[in-house]
C-alpha cells in the first residue's frame, strides 16, 4: 500500500497536480504500446492520475478504465476523460481475474516500496488476459527516497526492473532508459518497459 504521506500529497494537491501533468505527452510510447493491444481492447490504467492517458487511449478506439488510490484524482480523471475510474489500490486490484486486454502503469508502481511491488505485479498478471500487454515506467536509480513534496519514490536500475517484471510472469518486449541529468534535482531518467503476460501452458511459462 502506498504510504500515507504520498497519498496525502495527491489528495491535497489533486487539482494543481492534474493541471501540471495533463499536458505531458506520452505519445511515443503510447503508440508503441497500443500497437500491441487488440483493436478496441480493454485497458486498465493503474494510477491514472489526471486521466491524460485514459483520454488518449479512448481517442485511439480502446476501452480504458482508470484505477487510482486518490479519490480526488479519480474524480478529476473521470470528468476529464469520460472513462470509468475506480478508487482503489493496485496491490489489491478490485477486478476479476482476466478482466483486461492490457495494463498501463505510468509512474505509479514507483510509489510502492520494493517489498510491496511483487504484490502489485501479481495483481497485474491476475487481472490481465494472456497475452495481455503491460506498460510500466519507474524512475532510474537506487533506493527509496522522499521528494520535497513528501512523496515516497522507489528507484530501480534497468536490469533490476527487467528481473522484477520477468519474475512476475511477463516476457519483456522493450526496455528503455531515458537520459539522466544528475545536475538537476529529481531528474533521474525514466525506465519504460513494455511486456507481455505469459500464458498458463508450460511452454509459455519458460
Ligand atoms: C506520479 S502519479 C502518475 C499519474 C499518471 N499515471 C501519469 O503518468 O501522469 C502517481 C499516481 O499513482 C497513484 N497511486 C499511487 N499509489 C497507488 C496505488 N497503490 N494504487 C493506485 N494508485 C496509486 C497516485 O494517486 C497518482 O495518481
Amino acid at each position: 500500500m502506498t504510504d500515507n504521506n504520498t497519498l496525502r500529497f495527491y489528495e491535497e494537491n489533486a487539482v494543481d497536480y492534474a493541471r501540471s501533468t495533463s499536458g505531458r505527452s506520452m505519445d511515443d510510447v503510447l503508440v508503441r504500446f497500443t500497437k500491441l493491444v487488440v483493436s478496441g481492447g480493454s485497458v486498465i490504467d493503474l494510477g491514472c492520475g489526471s486521466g491524460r492517458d485514459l483520454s488518449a487511449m479512448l481517442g485511439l478506439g480502446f476501452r480504458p478504465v482508470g484505477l487510482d488510490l486518490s479519490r480526488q484524482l479519480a474524480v478529476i480523471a473521470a470528468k476529464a476523460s469520460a472513462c470509468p475510474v475506480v478508487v482503489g489500490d493496485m496491490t489489491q486490484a478490485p477486478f476479476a481475474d482476466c478482466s483486461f486486454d492490457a495494463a498501463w502503469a505510468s509512474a505509479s508502481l514507483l510509489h510502492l516500496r520494493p517489498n510491496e511491488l511483487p504484490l502489485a505485479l501479481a495483481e497485474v498478471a491476475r487481472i490481465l488476459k494472456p497475452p495481455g500487454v503491460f506498460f510500466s515506467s519507474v524512475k532510474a536509480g537506487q533506493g527509496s527516497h522522499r521528494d520535497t513534496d513528501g512523496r515516497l519514490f522507489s528507484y530501480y536500475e534497468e536490469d533490476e526492473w527487467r528481473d522484477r517484471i520477468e519474475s512476475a510472469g511477463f516476457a519483456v518486449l522493450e526496455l528503455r532508459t531515458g537520459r539522466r541529468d544528475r545536475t538537476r534535482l529529481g531528474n533521474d531518467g525514466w525506465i519504460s518497459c513494455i511486456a507481455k503476460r505469459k500464458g498458463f501452458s508450460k511452454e509459455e511459462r519458460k
Side-chain angles (χ1 to χ4, degrees), residues 2 10 17 47 49 52 68-70 73 88-90 106-108 111:
T2 299
Y10 288 115
Y17 178 77
R52 174 199 65 218
D68 206 285
L69 192 59
S70 158
L73 278 171
D89 184 352
M90 60 188 152
S106 163
S108 52
H111 285 317

Side-chain angles (χ1 to χ4, degrees), residues 114-127:
N115 64 355
E116 296 166 332
L117 186 67
L119 200 57
L121 294 179
E123 284 292 82
V124 180
R126 180 183 68 74
I127 64 176

